[in-house]
Amino acid sequence: MHAADMVIGLDDLVARIPDGASIAIPPDYSGCAMEAVKALIRRGCRDLHLIGVPSGGFQADWLIGAGCVASVEAAAMTLGEQGIPPRFSAAIRKGRIAMKDATCPAIHAGLQAAEKGLPFMPLRGILGSDLLKYRPDWKVIDNPFGGGDDPIVLIPAIQPDIALFHARAADRNGNVWIGVRRELMLMAHAARTTLVTVERIEDADFLTDDTMAAGTIPALYISAISAVPGGARPIGLAGAYPADTAELAAYAAAAKTEDGFQRWADEAIFGRVPA
Amino acid sequence: MHAADMVIGLDDLVARIPDGASIAIPPDYSGCAMEAVKALIRRGCRDLHLIGVPSGGFQADWLIGAGCVASVEAAAMTLGEQGIPPRFSAAIRKGRIAMKDATCPAIHAGLQAAEKGLPFMPLRGILGSDLLKYRPDWKVIDNPFGGGDDPIVLIPAIQPDIALFHARAADRNGNVWIGVRRELMLMAHAARTTLVTVERIEDADFLTDDTMAAGTIPALYISAISAVPGGARPIGLAGAYPADTAELAAYAAAAKTEDGFQRWADEAIFGRVPA
Amino acid sequence: MSTVEIDSISRTEIMIGAITRMLQGLRHVAVGNSSPIPGSAALLARALSGGELRVSLLGSRTHNAFTDGGRELFDCAAQGRIDAFFLSGGQIDGAANINLVGLGDYPQSKVRFPGSFGSAYLYHLIPRVILFREEHTPRTLVPKVDFISAAGTSPENEYRPGGPYALVTGLCVFSFDKNACRFRLQSTHPGIGPAEVKEATGFEYAAPEHIPTTEPLDSAALRLLRTEISRQVAETYPGFAAKTWGVVI
Amino acid sequence: MSTVEIDSISRTEIMIGAITRMLQGLRHVAVGNSSPIPGSAALLARALSGGELRVSLLGSRTHNAFTDGGRELFDCAAQGRIDAFFLSGGQIDGAANINLVGLGDYPQSKVRFPGSFGSAYLYHLIPRVILFREEHTPRTLVPKVDFISAAGTSPENEYRPGGPYALVTGLCVFSFDKNACRFRLQSTHPGIGPAEVKEATGFEYAAPEHIPTTEPLDSAALRLLRTEISRQVAETYPGFAAKTWGVVI
């Protein structure tokens, strides 16, 4: 594909996410495509299966609050210092979404299995946890390299339909710089389709620059890119801008009730001026 | 450990490699600590188990020719356009070294298993290859996630005693920049002890620089560092200096015979002026 | 940046002090997300060690040396390169099982907690896992957790280089006895008696006859904590640092 | 840099042309180490595709987009993102088994080859694996290889999205028929007749009555190969480029 065809508008970008898709999203400290999530909500997306890599935060809570989500797999759901995501917690209480509780390394292992085209990856630990009880898709075998009686968990591959995240920059060839945030690279390797919003598109080739190349996802793994300056607000983006903690706290307070969430979404997502 | 204690002389560096150690070395196009290998040969090291990640080249052939090697695990042994490593090929013919033939992704899988503290990693392919016949340490199980009758190979962890390589730069805290050469990071993660020679030690902290950090192995994984400018000659080092193809060809020609190798080593490694 | 006056050592600082002492002589401790008290202790212990102790503070942009993405903490732990880690729990029981998932029947929890994070894995792999929970009540320290996010102990045959080392609460310090599979009251915080601990604890534990008082940080360490360290903490936990020390960044 | 005169199309260029045609319409081809002929074909196919074809040339510092270390090629192949790859063999047999390990008894091979590289894996995972071997003699194309580095075919039940597509030699092009598990003579190079191929081939293969001549590159493609592409090839294969086109960098 030509790089020129990879750069599209934000609405076109989220149009690539079909209803019912499984979609991997990064944790709040990585690179969150907040504006893309808003566009997805405006589109009225439904029945998503969210995969928190390894946890879900504001993005997940917005999508759940807006009724876009059928199920979630994550090791945790948290707004950090703002506590439990309120729409998630309400949805769980009411049984409105299905939850596949995981543990962080199991999410990474599942994605790595997909990255390697493997049916599974082994993982130590977990034995004795109730997580295992509720994850019939996780299997326990006896380690074939042990002396017998050495149980080990196998985690099946997690291949998301979509990986969606925000990064500092793409270059003119569609390569995306993510620095040390290698979980974004893992997501791009593992997913069928990878959609990225970036602060800016630079007239450069990151792969010919030894230093930049080290933190770059090659265009080979990128399906489409939108330039969305400030696209990670209000979460913030390392090296670019900090979190807007006041806005995050305001969300956490507003979203305590369904009505509060609706009022917040009307303004923050749909841009309707409150009456 | 304090970073200041990590920087030592080249002879002290190779003194950390005991006779009989298993030692992982990168392929010729990555970052080869050629000067360290010479120092190791001068020390008269014996009974090494070499692990080519995933292949062995000039470093391996020098060590084999000098009698330092008891066994080799690698997916290939090659001098690139200079053909088969002559001392390796002679040692095989005479049964002087034990060879564990592998395939590239099996070496990576074994190291990744060690990196993850796992007893094994699964790997597709390989079935039907004679490699399996001669690798009783590789096991085949039925994929527990398949419908039955879906054999898959399991590769046991490869945890080298030592990882040895050369890189462009270390910083004052002992962090080592390797750029896109992530197999060096894998080696450092997997090995018990990681010894690195570098072109230079910079008065900087790579981890506080977003761009540099992306290609940096944290000091946490580095045991000791020597500053050895030109330490990858004559193989060359990407971004620093090219291969000295004349010198490499001269080696390949000289090492065709045991005597030729000895004469070459006397001069190139021991610095003895030919009579 | 402003600092409010603090007259005497706070309960939070007692907890930080107790944890700091448990990190002496270690090479590398990692601190997960949502762990401000252990994070403070780790940064203080690093300063007191003269830099011998490495600290990897997840969620921090400056006290975090990892460069291999989200998986590195877990790989690093499995390599045996992390000596200590910290876990909390919405519930913790007497067998050191922890519940980070929720109260009541699963999955439709009546109170939902964030989730298990890496606990189900790290608890098994890191030698010295220190449990912490400021709220010490029968509601948090229970006879049996509603959901086991991570099990306190494992059968002999299972691979388990790691496990619980101690439990630090707002009232006391428990050590964990792996063989007996139960906690042992190690010290009570200044002003707290063993009876108060007993009253507040929902599980059975061993208690020696004489129980010392948790030793507070000495004044030099306390000063360090309230100045340099509190500002380091604020980078990752601004709310916590503001509440505890009035540090505003 | 200097270029010597070449009067007519060389055998090497015929092979490059045959491989180039097999890459038409693909999205991404990867080329391993020690593969100058396929590397040249891939770079030419990329130029002819107007940039639609991605090429990952291992061992190249400029035509290699990988940023995840040595494992990325293998992961990428398993993800189904590589359409074609190239393998050679010290021996290749009629069932498309290849031997990259050595002649005679293993492990004390009387002639040792470099080793299996990634063949045992990539042969199973990449849909269109093109075998190449310039030397077409009964010594290289044998009834049965001494050592199977990578098996040509697999039982039905085994996971195998990839496998052999064709074999390009200095004399001819064979296609591979997976169902019959044997090669089929597809074309002979200019000046070579079917009888010569039969004489030189140590294994049985299918041959239709009429066998066309391998179509050479057209003059525009040949010009491109000898100018721009030959210089790109020289970066990774200086010896080959010097020998084939007199390109010296």
Coordinates of all heavy atoms in Angstrom, one line a residue, chain D residues 120-186:
Chain D
A120 N 13.4 -24.6 8.5 CA 12.5 -25.6 9.1 C 11.2 -24.9 9.6 O 10.2 -25.6 9.8 CB 13.2 -26.3 10.3
Y121 N 11.2 -23.6 9.8 CA 10.1 -22.9 10.2 C 9.4 -22.2 9.1 O 8.2 -22.4 8.8 CB 10.6 -21.9 11.3 CG 9.5 -21.0 11.9 CD1 8.7 -21.3 12.9 CD2 9.4 -19.7 11.3 CE1 7.8 -20.4 13.5 CE2 8.5 -18.8 11.9 CZ 7.7 -19.1 12.9 OH 6.8 -18.3 13.5
L122 N 10.2 -21.4 8.4 CA 9.6 -20.5 7.3 C 8.9 -21.3 6.2 O 7.9 -20.9 5.6 CB 10.6 -19.5 6.8 CG 11.1 -18.5 7.8 CD1 12.3 -17.7 7.2 CD2 10.0 -17.6 8.2
Y123 N 9.5 -22.5 5.9 CA 9.0 -23.3 4.8 C 7.5 -23.7 5.1 O 6.7 -24.0 4.2 CB 9.8 -24.6 4.7 CG 10.0 -25.2 3.4 CD1 9.6 -24.6 2.2 CD2 10.5 -26.5 3.3 CE1 9.8 -25.2 0.9 CE2 10.7 -27.1 2.0 CZ 10.3 -26.5 0.9 OH 10.5 -27.1 -0.4
H124 N 7.2 -23.8 6.4 CA 5.9 -24.2 6.8 C 4.9 -23.0 6.9 O 3.7 -23.2 7.0 CB 5.9 -24.9 8.2 CG 6.6 -26.2 8.2 ND1 6.0 -27.4 8.5 CD2 7.9 -26.6 7.8 CE1 6.8 -28.4 8.4 NE2 8.0 -27.9 8.0
L125 N 5.4 -21.8 7.0 CA 4.5 -20.7 7.4 C 4.3 -19.7 6.2 O 3.4 -18.9 6.2 CB 5.1 -20.0 8.6 CG 4.9 -20.8 9.9 CD1 5.7 -20.4 11.0 CD2 3.4 -20.8 10.3
I126 N 5.2 -19.6 5.3 CA 5.1 -18.6 4.2 C 4.5 -19.3 3.0 O 5.0 -20.3 2.5 CB 6.4 -18.0 3.9 CG1 6.9 -17.2 5.2 CG2 6.3 -17.0 2.7 CD1 8.2 -16.5 5.0
P127 N 3.3 -18.7 2.5 CA 2.6 -19.4 1.4 C 3.4 -19.7 0.2 O 3.3 -20.8 -0.4 CB 1.5 -18.4 1.1 CG 1.3 -17.5 2.3 CD 2.7 -17.5 2.9
R128 N 4.2 -18.8 -0.3 CA 4.9 -19.0 -1.5 C 6.4 -19.0 -1.3 O 7.1 -18.0 -1.4 CB 4.5 -17.8 -2.5 CG 4.9 -18.0 -3.9 CD 4.4 -16.9 -4.8 NE 2.9 -17.0 -5.0 CZ 2.3 -16.4 -6.0 NH1 2.9 -15.6 -6.8 NH2 1.0 -16.5 -6.1
V129 N 6.9 -20.2 -1.0 CA 8.4 -20.4 -0.8 C 9.0 -20.8 -2.2 O 8.6 -21.8 -2.7 CB 8.7 -21.4 0.3 CG1 10.2 -21.5 0.4 CG2 8.2 -20.9 1.6
I130 N 9.9 -20.0 -2.7 CA 10.5 -20.2 -3.9 C 11.9 -20.8 -3.7 O 12.7 -20.1 -3.0 CB 10.6 -18.9 -4.8 CG1 9.1 -18.5 -5.1 CG2 11.4 -19.1 -6.1 CD1 9.0 -17.0 -5.5
L131 N 12.1 -22.0 -4.2 CA 13.5 -22.6 -4.0 C 14.4 -22.1 -5.2 O 13.9 -22.0 -6.3 CB 13.4 -24.1 -4.0 CG 12.4 -24.7 -3.0 CD1 12.3 -26.2 -3.2 CD2 13.0 -24.5 -1.6
F132 N 15.6 -21.9 -4.8 CA 16.5 -21.5 -5.9 C 17.9 -22.2 -5.7 O 18.3 -22.4 -4.6 CB 16.7 -20.0 -5.9 CG 17.4 -19.4 -4.7 CD1 18.8 -19.1 -4.8 CD2 16.8 -19.3 -3.5 CE1 19.4 -18.6 -3.6 CE2 17.4 -18.8 -2.4 CZ 18.8 -18.5 -2.4
R133 N 18.5 -22.6 -6.8 CA 19.8 -23.2 -6.8 C 20.4 -23.1 -8.2 O 19.9 -23.7 -9.1 CB 19.7 -24.6 -6.3 CG 21.0 -25.4 -6.3 CD 21.8 -25.0 -5.0 NE 23.2 -25.0 -5.3 CZ 24.2 -25.6 -4.6 NH1 23.8 -26.2 -3.4 NH2 25.4 -25.6 -4.9
E134 N 21.4 -22.3 -8.3 CA 22.0 -22.0 -9.6 C 22.6 -23.3 -10.2 O 22.3 -23.7 -11.3 CB 23.0 -20.9 -9.6 CG 23.5 -20.5 -11.0 CD 24.0 -19.1 -11.0 OE1 24.2 -18.5 -9.9 OE2 24.3 -18.6 -12.1
E135 N 23.3 -24.0 -9.4 CA 23.9 -25.3 -9.8 C 22.9 -26.4 -10.0 O 22.3 -26.8 -9.0 CB 25.0 -25.8 -8.8 CG 25.7 -27.0 -9.3 CD 26.6 -27.7 -8.2 OE1 27.1 -26.9 -7.4 OE2 26.8 -28.9 -8.3
H136 N 22.6 -26.7 -11.2 CA 21.6 -27.8 -11.5 C 22.3 -29.0 -12.0 O 22.7 -29.1 -13.2 CB 20.7 -27.2 -12.6 CG 19.5 -28.1 -12.9 ND1 18.2 -27.7 -13.2 CD2 19.4 -29.5 -12.9 CE1 17.4 -28.7 -13.4 NE2 18.1 -29.8 -13.2
T137 N 22.6 -29.9 -11.1 CA 23.3 -31.1 -11.4 C 22.7 -32.3 -10.5 O 22.0 -32.0 -9.6 CB 24.8 -31.0 -11.0 OG1 24.9 -30.8 -9.5 CG2 25.5 -29.8 -11.6
P138 N 23.1 -33.5 -10.9 CA 22.6 -34.6 -10.0 C 23.2 -34.6 -8.6 O 22.7 -35.3 -7.7 CB 23.1 -35.9 -10.8 CG 23.4 -35.4 -12.2 CD 23.8 -34.0 -12.1
R139 N 24.2 -33.8 -8.4 CA 24.8 -33.6 -7.1 C 23.9 -32.7 -6.2 O 23.9 -32.9 -5.0 CB 26.2 -33.0 -7.3 CG 27.1 -33.0 -6.2 CD 28.4 -32.3 -6.6 NE 28.2 -30.8 -6.5 CZ 28.7 -30.0 -5.5 NH1 29.4 -30.6 -4.6 NH2 28.4 -28.8 -5.5
T140 N 23.3 -31.7 -6.8 CA 22.4 -30.8 -6.0 C 21.0 -31.2 -6.0 O 20.3 -31.0 -5.0 CB 22.6 -29.4 -6.5 OG1 22.2 -29.4 -7.9 CG2 24.0 -28.9 -6.4
L141 N 20.5 -31.7 -7.2 CA 19.1 -32.1 -7.2 C 19.0 -33.6 -7.2 O 19.3 -34.3 -8.2 CB 18.4 -31.6 -8.5 CG 18.6 -30.1 -8.7 CD1 17.7 -29.6 -9.9 CD2 18.2 -29.3 -7.5
V142 N 18.7 -34.2 -6.0 CA 19.0 -35.6 -5.7 C 17.7 -36.3 -5.4 O 16.6 -35.7 -5.2 CB 19.9 -35.7 -4.4 CG1 21.2 -35.1 -4.7 CG2 19.2 -35.1 -3.2
P143 N 17.7 -37.6 -5.5 CA 16.5 -38.4 -5.3 C 16.0 -38.2 -3.8 O 14.8 -38.1 -3.6 CB 16.9 -39.9 -5.5 CG 18.2 -39.8 -6.3 CD 18.8 -38.5 -6.0
K144 N 17.0 -38.2 -2.9 CA 16.6 -38.1 -1.5 C 17.8 -37.3 -0.8 O 18.9 -37.7 -0.9 CB 16.4 -39.5 -0.9 CG 15.7 -39.4 0.4 CD 15.2 -40.7 1.0 CE 14.6 -40.6 2.3 NZ 14.8 -39.3 3.1
V145 N 17.4 -36.3 -0.1 CA 18.5 -35.5 0.6 C 19.1 -36.3 1.8 O 18.4 -37.2 2.4 CB 17.9 -34.2 1.2 CG1 17.5 -33.3 0.1 CG2 16.8 -34.4 2.2
D146 N 20.3 -36.1 2.1 CA 21.0 -36.8 3.2 C 20.5 -36.3 4.5 O 20.5 -37.1 5.5 CB 22.5 -36.5 3.2 CG 23.2 -37.2 2.0 OD1 22.5 -37.8 1.1 OD2 24.5 -37.0 1.9
F147 N 20.0 -35.1 4.6 CA 19.5 -34.6 5.9 C 18.3 -33.6 5.5 O 18.5 -32.8 4.6 CB 20.6 -33.8 6.6 CG 20.2 -33.3 8.0 CD1 20.6 -34.0 9.1 CD2 19.4 -32.1 8.1 CE1 20.3 -33.5 10.4 CE2 19.1 -31.7 9.4 CZ 19.5 -32.4 10.5
I148 N 17.2 -33.8 6.1 CA 16.1 -33.0 5.9 C 16.1 -31.8 6.8 O 15.8 -31.9 8.0 CB 14.7 -33.7 6.0 CG1 14.6 -34.9 5.1 CG2 13.5 -32.7 5.8 CD1 13.3 -35.7 5.3
S149 N 16.6 -30.6 6.3 CA 16.5 -29.4 7.1 C 15.1 -29.0 7.2 O 14.7 -28.6 8.3 CB 17.4 -28.3 6.4 OG 18.7 -28.5 6.6
A150 N 14.4 -29.0 6.1 CA 13.0 -28.6 6.1 C 12.3 -29.5 5.1 O 12.7 -29.7 4.0 CB 12.8 -27.1 5.7
A151 N 11.1 -30.0 5.6 CA 10.4 -31.0 4.8 C 9.5 -30.3 3.7 O 8.9 -29.3 4.0 CB 9.5 -31.8 5.7
G152 N 9.5 -30.9 2.5 CA 8.7 -30.3 1.4 C 7.2 -30.3 1.6 O 6.5 -29.3 1.3
T153 N 6.8 -31.4 2.2 CA 5.3 -31.5 2.4 C 5.1 -32.1 3.8 O 6.0 -32.6 4.5 CB 4.6 -32.4 1.4 OG1 5.3 -33.7 1.5 CG2 4.8 -31.9 0.0
S154 N 3.8 -32.0 4.3 CA 3.5 -32.5 5.6 C 2.2 -33.2 5.5 O 1.4 -33.0 4.6 CB 3.2 -31.3 6.5 OG 4.4 -30.5 6.6
P155 N 2.0 -34.1 6.5 CA 0.7 -34.8 6.6 C -0.5 -33.8 6.7 O -0.3 -32.7 7.2 CB 0.8 -35.7 7.8 CG 2.2 -35.8 8.1 CD 2.9 -34.5 7.6
E156 N -1.6 -34.2 6.2 CA -2.8 -33.3 6.2 C -3.1 -32.6 7.6 O -3.5 -31.5 7.6 CB -4.1 -34.1 5.8 CG -4.3 -34.1 4.3 CD -4.6 -32.7 3.7 OE1 -5.5 -32.0 4.3 OE2 -3.9 -32.4 2.8
N157 N -2.9 -33.4 8.6 CA -3.3 -32.9 10.0 C -2.4 -31.8 10.5 O -2.8 -31.0 11.4 CB -3.4 -34.0 11.0 CG -2.0 -34.6 11.2 OD1 -1.4 -35.1 10.2 ND2 -1.5 -34.6 12.4
E158 N -1.2 -31.7 10.0 CA -0.3 -30.7 10.5 C -0.6 -29.3 10.0 O -1.0 -29.1 8.9 CB 1.2 -31.1 10.1 CG 1.7 -32.3 10.9 CD 3.1 -32.7 10.5 OE1 3.8 -31.9 9.9 OE2 3.5 -33.8 10.9
Y159 N -0.3 -28.3 10.9 CA -0.5 -26.9 10.6 C 0.5 -26.5 9.6 O 1.7 -26.5 9.9 CB -0.4 -26.1 11.9 CG -0.5 -24.6 11.8 CD1 -1.8 -24.0 11.7 CD2 0.6 -23.8 11.7 CE1 -1.9 -22.7 11.5 CE2 0.5 -22.4 11.6 CZ -0.8 -21.9 11.5 OH -0.9 -20.5 11.3
R160 N 0.1 -26.1 8.4 CA 1.1 -25.7 7.4 C 0.5 -24.8 6.4 O 0.2 -25.2 5.3 CB 1.7 -27.0 6.8 CG 2.8 -26.6 5.8 CD 3.8 -27.7 5.5 NE 4.9 -27.1 4.8 CZ 6.0 -27.7 4.5 NH1 6.1 -29.0 4.7 NH2 7.0 -27.1 3.9
P161 N 0.4 -23.5 6.7 CA -0.1 -22.6 5.7 C 0.9 -22.3 4.6 O 0.5 -21.8 3.5 CB -0.3 -21.3 6.5 CG 0.4 -21.5 7.8 CD 0.5 -22.9 8.0
G162 N 2.2 -22.7 4.8 CA 3.2 -22.4 3.8 C 3.7 -23.7 3.1 O 3.4 -24.8 3.4
G163 N 4.6 -23.4 2.1 CA 5.3 -24.5 1.5 C 5.9 -24.1 0.1 O 5.8 -23.0 -0.3
P164 N 6.5 -25.1 -0.6 CA 7.2 -24.9 -1.8 C 6.2 -24.4 -2.9 O 5.1 -25.0 -3.1 CB 7.8 -26.2 -2.1 CG 7.1 -27.2 -1.4 CD 6.5 -26.6 -0.2
Y165 N 6.7 -23.5 -3.7 CA 5.9 -23.0 -4.9 C 6.6 -23.3 -6.2 O 5.9 -23.7 -7.1 CB 5.7 -21.5 -4.7 CG 5.0 -20.7 -5.8 CD1 3.6 -20.8 -5.8 CD2 5.7 -20.0 -6.7 CE1 2.9 -20.1 -6.8 CE2 5.0 -19.3 -7.7 CZ 3.6 -19.4 -7.8 OH 3.0 -18.7 -8.8
A166 N 7.9 -23.1 -6.2 CA 8.6 -23.4 -7.4 C 10.1 -23.6 -7.1 O 10.5 -23.4 -5.9 CB 8.5 -22.2 -8.4
L167 N 10.8 -24.1 -8.1 CA 12.3 -24.3 -7.9 C 12.9 -23.7 -9.2 O 12.6 -24.1 -10.3 CB 12.6 -25.8 -7.8 CG 14.1 -26.2 -8.0 CD1 15.0 -25.5 -7.0 CD2 14.2 -27.7 -7.9
V168 N 13.8 -22.7 -9.0 CA 14.4 -22.0 -10.1 C 15.9 -22.4 -10.0 O 16.6 -22.2 -9.0 CB 14.2 -20.5 -10.0 CG1 15.0 -19.8 -11.1 CG2 12.8 -20.1 -10.0
T169 N 16.4 -22.9 -11.1 CA 17.8 -23.3 -11.2 C 18.5 -22.6 -12.4 O 17.8 -21.8 -13.0 CB 17.9 -24.8 -11.5 OG1 17.6 -25.1 -12.9 CG2 17.0 -25.7 -10.6
G170 N 19.7 -22.9 -12.6 CA 20.4 -22.3 -13.7 C 20.0 -22.8 -15.1 O 20.3 -22.3 -16.1
L171 N 19.1 -23.9 -15.1 CA 18.7 -24.5 -16.3 C 17.2 -24.3 -16.6 O 16.8 -24.2 -17.8 CB 19.0 -26.0 -16.4 CG 20.4 -26.5 -16.2 CD1 20.5 -28.0 -16.4 CD2 21.3 -25.8 -17.3
C172 N 16.4 -24.2 -15.5 CA 15.0 -24.3 -15.8 C 14.2 -23.8 -14.6 O 14.7 -23.4 -13.5 CB 14.5 -25.7 -16.0 SG 14.7 -26.8 -14.6
V173 N 12.9 -23.8 -14.8 CA 11.9 -23.5 -13.7 C 11.0 -24.7 -13.5 O 10.4 -25.2 -14.5 CB 11.1 -22.3 -14.0 CG1 10.0 -22.0 -12.9 CG2 11.9 -21.0 -14.2
F174 N 11.0 -25.2 -12.2 CA 10.0 -26.2 -11.9 C 8.9 -25.6 -11.1 O 9.2 -24.7 -10.2 CB 10.6 -27.3 -11.0 CG 11.6 -28.2 -11.6 CD1 13.0 -28.0 -11.3 CD2 11.3 -29.2 -12.5 CE1 14.0 -28.8 -11.9 CE2 12.2 -30.0 -13.0 CZ 13.6 -29.8 -12.7
S175 N 7.6 -26.0 -11.3 CA 6.6 -25.6 -10.3 C 6.5 -26.8 -9.3 O 6.9 -27.9 -9.7 CB 5.3 -25.3 -11.0 OG 4.9 -26.4 -11.7
F176 N 5.9 -26.6 -8.2 CA 5.7 -27.8 -7.3 C 4.2 -28.1 -7.2 O 3.4 -27.2 -6.9 CB 6.3 -27.5 -5.9 CG 6.3 -28.7 -5.0 CD1 7.2 -29.7 -5.3 CD2 5.4 -28.9 -4.0 CE1 7.2 -30.9 -4.5 CE2 5.4 -30.0 -3.2 CZ 6.3 -31.0 -3.4
D177 N 3.9 -29.4 -7.3 CA 2.5 -29.8 -7.2 C 2.4 -30.5 -5.8 O 2.8 -31.6 -5.6 CB 2.2 -30.8 -8.4 CG 0.8 -31.4 -8.3 OD1 0.2 -31.3 -7.3 OD2 0.4 -31.9 -9.4
K178 N 1.7 -29.8 -4.9 CA 1.6 -30.3 -3.6 C 0.8 -31.6 -3.5 O 1.1 -32.5 -2.7 CB 0.9 -29.3 -2.7 CG 1.9 -28.3 -2.1 CD 1.2 -27.3 -1.2 CE 2.1 -26.0 -1.2 NZ 1.8 -25.0 -0.3
N179 N -0.2 -31.8 -4.3 CA -1.0 -33.0 -4.2 C -0.2 -34.2 -4.7 O -0.2 -35.2 -4.0 CB -2.3 -32.8 -5.1 CG -3.2 -31.7 -4.5 OD1 -3.3 -31.6 -3.3 ND2 -3.8 -31.0 -5.3
A180 N 0.5 -34.0 -5.8 CA 1.3 -35.1 -6.3 C 2.6 -35.2 -5.6 O 3.3 -36.2 -5.7 CB 1.5 -34.9 -7.8
C181 N 2.9 -34.2 -4.8 CA 4.2 -34.2 -4.1 C 5.4 -34.3 -5.0 O 6.3 -35.1 -4.7 CB 4.2 -35.2 -2.9 SG 5.5 -35.0 -1.8
R182 N 5.3 -33.6 -6.1 CA 6.5 -33.6 -7.0 C 6.6 -32.4 -7.8 O 5.6 -31.7 -8.0 CB 6.5 -34.9 -7.8 CG 5.4 -35.0 -8.8 CD 5.7 -36.1 -9.8 NE 4.6 -36.3 -10.7 CZ 4.6 -37.1 -11.7 NH1 5.6 -38.0 -11.9 NH2 3.5 -37.2 -12.5
F183 N 7.8 -32.2 -8.4 CA 8.0 -31.0 -9.2 C 7.4 -31.3 -10.6 O 7.3 -32.5 -11.1 CB 9.4 -30.7 -9.3 CG 10.0 -30.0 -8.1 CD1 10.8 -30.8 -7.2 CD2 9.7 -28.7 -7.7 CE1 11.3 -30.2 -6.0 CE2 10.2 -28.2 -6.6 CZ 11.0 -28.9 -5.7
R184 N 7.2 -30.2 -11.4 CA 6.7 -30.3 -12.7 C 7.6 -29.2 -13.5 O 7.7 -28.1 -13.1 CB 5.3 -29.9 -12.8 CG 4.6 -29.9 -14.1 CD 3.1 -29.6 -14.0 NE 2.4 -29.7 -15.3 CZ 2.5 -28.8 -16.2 NH1 3.2 -27.7 -16.0 NH2 1.8 -28.9 -17.4
L185 N 8.1 -29.7 -14.6 CA 9.0 -28.8 -15.4 C 8.1 -27.7 -16.0 O 7.2 -28.1 -16.8 CB 9.8 -29.6 -16.4 CG 10.8 -28.8 -17.3 CD1 11.8 -28.1 -16.4 CD2 11.5 -29.7 -18.3
Q186 N 8.4 -26.5 -15.8 CA 7.5 -25.4 -16.2 C 8.1 -24.7 -17.4 O 7.4 -24.4 -18.3 CB 7.5 -24.4 -15.0 CG 6.3 -23.4 -15.1 CD 5.0 -24.2 -14.8 OE1 5.0 -25.3 -14.3 NE2 3.9 -23.6 -15.3

